[in-house]
Amino acid sequence: MPAPVSPTPPGRRTAFAEGVDRVRAAATTEPGRLRIIGAVLALLVVAFGAVTAWQSSERAAAADDVLHSSQPLSSGAAAIYRSLADANTTASSGFLAGGQESTASRDRYEKDIRTAASGLVTAAANAEPGSASEATIAKLNRLLPEYKGLIERARTYNRQGYPVGGAYLRYANEKMQTRMLPAAEDLYTKENQRLDADYADATPYPWAAIALGLLALAALGWAQHRTYRRTNRVLNHGLVAGSAATAVVLLWLVVGHTIARSGLDGSYDHGIRSLSVLHDARIASLKARGNENLSLVARGAETITVGGKPYDAYYYDFDKDMAVLGKGLSRAATLADDRAGSTPVKAAEGNMAVWKQRHASARAEDENGNFQQALDKVIGAKGATGECFDSVDANLARAIDHEQAEFQRSAGDGRDAMTGLPVGAAVLAVLGAAGAVAGIGRRLSEYR
């Protein structure tokens, strides 16, 4: 058994109790009180500097992540989605052209596949091990070669004139629409959640540091007033230096964070929100174009019943996608805060209006059994709906590039507003504490 702990012998006091007594005794004399005041002032100023450095460095790191990590990854996920959707659309256009498929169309499809594959590599390198994002990326990496294999089979049979080529194309489209694009959308959603989390870490006010700064300034002011009442000296140079250093850090903290917050909020309101709407609109236009092409590939083989009335499945989805595109463009025009942002969006709205008119004409030809005339109005060399789709896509790309630049400018300004604050706060806090101690030391010297 362990030996029992001996109680403190009667008449003997613990070290803590003796220390408390010494502090109490010191507090009864003016030099002792000055030493306590000096220690408390130094502790408050150093604590203020340490908390300021900690909170500002955390917010600066989060702002840097917004600019260089989470937002680029969010845009990368959107690019993966767009590339997959565009590859699907381009493949259907090439299928309709049959043996007349252009080299440009084939190159566009291959570029989309390479872009999606490259984006998945980047996303995988930045995904946390074991995370849901990692599983989604692995799923897309597995499905992408399967999809490409189906497209190649569809092309081979189509060139040989076998109708089974259309079945392979529809199967590839089903894989894309029901498995790959939902997975890509899920990845995009997760990257946006990471982006929102970084914004949430970068923008809150550092209330703990601000409170400590105010408390330290109040304590320094009280100490100077106390000195004035006892000595009739208006200024104590050490305490004034400590107060000035503390005030500079506090002002730097409040103003710097306010500017940083304004820049980050601006990058979200005038960059991220617009980018999200524009990405969605561009994806809707890609889906609409794909369904327009597939309606001619299927030639009525796919139907859907809505309200007891049968519809061509692809024409029905086309109408839904165009409605989404129209709402997206209207929303994007509202969010655009300058002419450079609104001009391409308005141009895309005009392109969409012409697209709908040409599509109605092509659909009428198709429903009347004039397949070749309908095909010419969709993928023809001039006056086809393909021209309108390309114009919508190009204008949306211009709008996205503009909003991306707006985001980078505002987010960069927000991050730069906190540059140097953690180190500066730490250095000034040490100088402020030294000034406070020196000021109290000057008073103590008068009692020697």
Side-chain angles (χ1 to χ4, degrees), residues 265-287:
D265 285 345
S267 72
Y268 190 89
D269 292 338
H270 305 300
I272 297 300
R273 291 174 63 195
S274 293
L275 283 170
S276 178
V277 172
L278 289 168
H279 282 310
D280 290 343
R282 199 176 186 190
I283 288 166
S285 72
L286 286 164
K287 286 184 174 181

Side-chain angles (χ1 to χ4, degrees), residues 136-188:
T136 301
I137 294 165
K139 178 181 179 181
L140 285 169
N141 276 323
R142 185 179 68 254
L143 291 173
L144 187 59
E146 295 178 8
Y147 169 81
K148 191 174 181 182
L150 290 171
I151 292 297
E152 293 307 318
R153 287 188 181 184
R155 281 176 168 159
T156 299
Y157 286 123
N158 188 44
R159 285 195 297 267
Q160 295 173 353
Y162 295 141
V164 72
Y168 273 106
L169 182 67
R170 292 195 298 274
Y171 183 37
N173 176 71
E174 181 183 3
K175 185 182 287 288
M176 177 66 75
Q177 299 291 345
T178 61
R179 300 182 66 185
M180 297 177 69
L181 290 183
E185 184 177 13
D186 183 58
L187 179 62
Y188 179 51

Side-chain angles (χ1 to χ4, degrees), residues 154-231:
R155 281 176 168 159
T156 299
Y157 286 123
N158 188 44
R159 285 195 297 267
Q160 295 173 353
Y162 295 141
V164 72
Y168 273 106
L169 182 67
R170 292 195 298 274
Y171 183 37
N173 176 71
E174 181 183 3
K175 185 182 287 288
M176 177 66 75
Q177 299 291 345
T178 61
R179 300 182 66 185
M180 297 177 69
L181 290 183
E185 184 177 13
D186 183 58
L187 179 62
Y188 179 51
T189 299
K190 287 181 172 62
E191 295 300 345
N192 278 340
Q193 289 171 348
R194 185 193 299 194
L195 176 60
D196 289 342
D198 285 338
Y199 266 108
D201 290 338
T203 54
Y205 271 104
W207 293 116
I210 292 173
L212 272 173
L214 292 173
L215 181 60
L217 274 180
L220 286 163
W222 172 83
Q224 291 179 84
H225 181 67
R226 183 180 186 278
T227 299
Y228 168 73
R229 289 177 59 190
R230 283 165 172 73
T231 65

Side-chain angles (χ1 to χ4, degrees), residues 81 85 89 177 181 185 282-292 317-318 321 355 389:
Y81 193 114
T89 297
Q177 299 291 345
L181 290 183
E185 184 177 13
R282 199 176 186 190
I283 288 166
S285 72
L286 286 164
K287 286 184 174 181
R289 179 59 177 172
N291 283 314
E292 184 176 49
D317 287 340
F318 171 87
D321 294 331
W355 184 1
F389 162 71

